[in-house]
Amino acid sequence: MRSLPARRLSAGAVLLAAGTVLATAVPAFAHVTVQPGTATQGGYTAVAFRVPDESDTASTVKLEVSLPTDHPIASVSTQPLPGWTVQVDKSQLPNPIKTDDGSITTAVSKITWTADATGKIGPGQFQEFKVSFGPLPGDTDQLVFKALQTKDDGTVVRWIDEAKEGQPEPAHPAPVLKLTKAAATASPGPAGQVTASQDGAAAGTASAKSDDSTARTLGVVGIVVGVIGAGLGVLGLRRKGSAS
């Protein structure tokens, strides 16, 4: 049986471990993130920059999000948010974006949301800032959006650190949108190879031919049976006549 001091020591160790886990988990909840965190290359999407206020006393009054200029996005629009004004800044692109409507030489490089007296994000609260953009680039697997979060006490939290593979997550990671490749569409197979759609069509044709052949066979059998029946009827009448 364990002694009382040993039990207390064991319970203390458990509480210490739990406290350590919570201490390391809390900062992750306070990160500025992109929701949802994935989108398709070359497509259009709508995302929300989710901004929590981790301070005990100060409220968030401004959010600045920088869009990557090395992988620019041609079309960007913001959703109105009560209690906040938005400013969209554009910059000249070093390499124009080619679209169906021609070349685009400027693109949105920064979006700034500023709160009025009613729009602050208070301690322990969060807000989502929604943006629609596209087409997303097809030459990268992620977009990094560096963000600055300003509090009403003058504090600025810089969410600009980029995570590196094999290293611990930085204290203030930049929001990241992962990009996945678009699903491959069906294409004609090599000569002599039947694709799924072709195979389905062939099966349907074969089924139709089979049904037609069956119908014809049954028709012929019916005719033959009818002829035989008629012949037997005539023969019966002749025999009956002879007997009388």
Side-chain angles (χ1 to χ4, degrees), residues 10 23 34 51-52 58 107 109 116 128 135 142 210 232 235:
S10 177
V34 179
V51 181
S109 56
D116 60 22
E128 290 187 339
Q142 67 175 23
S210 176
L232 291 174
L235 181 60

Side-chain angles (χ1 to χ4, degrees), residues 56-220:
D56 294 329
T57 57
S59 298
T60 299
V61 294
K62 181 186 289 187
L63 175 68
E64 301 170 74
V65 176
S66 295
L67 278 63
T69 54
D70 54 342
H71 299 290
I73 302 172
S75 175
V76 178
S77 58
T78 60
Q79 180 171 302
L81 181 63
W84 295 78
T85 58
V86 61
Q87 177 180 333
V88 178
D89 296 325
K90 294 185 177 182
S91 61
Q92 194 75 20
L93 297 176
N95 298 310
I97 303 175
K98 294 182 179 180
T99 68
D100 295 337
D101 299 325
S103 296
I104 297 176
T105 58
T106 61
V108 175
S109 56
K110 187 171 73 170
I111 306 174
T112 303
W113 288 270
T114 305
D116 60 22
T118 64
K120 296 180 179 180
I121 308 174
Q125 300 178 344
F126 77 92
Q127 182 60 269
E128 290 187 339
F129 301 84
K130 297 181 179 181
V131 180
S132 173
F133 43 47
L136 299 173
D139 57 351
T140 182
D141 60 359
Q142 67 175 23
L143 292 175
V144 179
F145 302 93
K146 297 185 177 183
L148 301 181
Q149 180 182 8
T150 303
K151 310 290 185 64
D152 57 7
D153 63 354
T155 303
V156 178
V157 185
R158 302 171 62 83
W159 303 98
I160 62 174
D161 299 331
E162 296 188 37
K164 296 182 180 179
E165 188 175 356
Q167 296 186 11
E169 185 181 49
H172 298 94
V176 176
L177 178 65
K178 298 291 185 180
L179 300 181
T180 59
K181 293 185 180 297
T185 56
S187 58
Q193 180 178 344
V194 179
T195 63
S197 59
Q198 291 172 338
D199 186 53
T205 303
S207 177
K209 289 182 178 180
S210 176
D211 292 342
D212 186 57
S213 298
T214 301
R216 289 181 181 180
T217 301
L218 291 175
V220 171

